[in-house]
């Protein structure tokens, strides 16, 4: 294979940028929306690994997401949609 035929490691992402397609849907990476520190919505998650009133841990294609805070609760869950309410203090991305 010649140098001109080799694909860059980020070819898919560059193609998505050029076509203006949403990366979260095509690549399956998590998409999060925070509403202040009171609510977070996570789309494209794979499952809930742990849950308490101070920590909620979810898995995603890229690793784990840890939400820390006070009075946390899962108020909605669907196929790939999770809504967490409470006083959110920290969001960590774990590998």
């Amino acid at each position: 294979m010649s140098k001109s035929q080799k694909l860059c490691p980020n070819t898919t992402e560059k193609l998505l940028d050029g076509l203006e397609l949403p990366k979260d849907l095509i690549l399956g990476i998590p998409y999060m929306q925070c509403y202040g520190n009171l609510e977070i919505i996570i789309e494209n998650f794979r499952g809930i690994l742990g849950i308490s009133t101070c920590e909620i841990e979810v898995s995603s294609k890229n690793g784990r997401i840890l939400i820390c805070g006070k009075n946390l609760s899962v108020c909605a869950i669907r196929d790939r949609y999770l809504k967490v309410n409470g006083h959110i203090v920290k969001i960590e991305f774990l590998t």
Side-chain angles (χ1 to χ4, degrees):
M1 180 180 282
S2 70
K3 288 184 180 180
S4 62
Q5 292 176 327
K6 290 184 181 178
L7 295 176
C8 296
N10 295 324
T11 302
T12 304
E13 289 186 37
K14 288 180 182 179
L15 180 62
L16 293 175
D17 287 340
L19 296 174
E20 297 182 10
L21 296 172
K23 289 181 186 178
D24 59 311
L25 293 177
I26 304 300
L27 299 176
I29 58 177
Y31 176 77
M32 297 185 289
Q33 296 175 325
C34 295
Y35 297 96
N37 65 341
L38 301 176
E39 180 178 283
I40 185 169
I41 295 172
I42 303 174
E43 296 181 40
N44 293 332
F45 79 102
R46 289 191 170 171
I48 298 175
L49 300 173
I51 187 166
S52 71
T53 57
C54 59
E55 287 185 349
I56 296 176
E57 185 176 357
V58 299
S59 65
S60 73
K61 184 177 180 179
N62 297 33
R64 298 173 290 141
I65 302 167
L66 181 64
I67 303 162
C68 303
K70 298 176 185 174
N71 301 318
L72 298 178
S73 65
V74 174
C75 59
I77 187 168
R78 296 195 184 110
D79 185 34
R80 289 195 258 170
Y81 172 94
L82 176 71
K83 184 176 179 182
V84 175
N85 283 349
H87 180 79
I88 299 167
V89 176
K90 177 173 55 172
I91 302 168
E92 286 187 64
F93 299 92
L94 310 168
T95 55

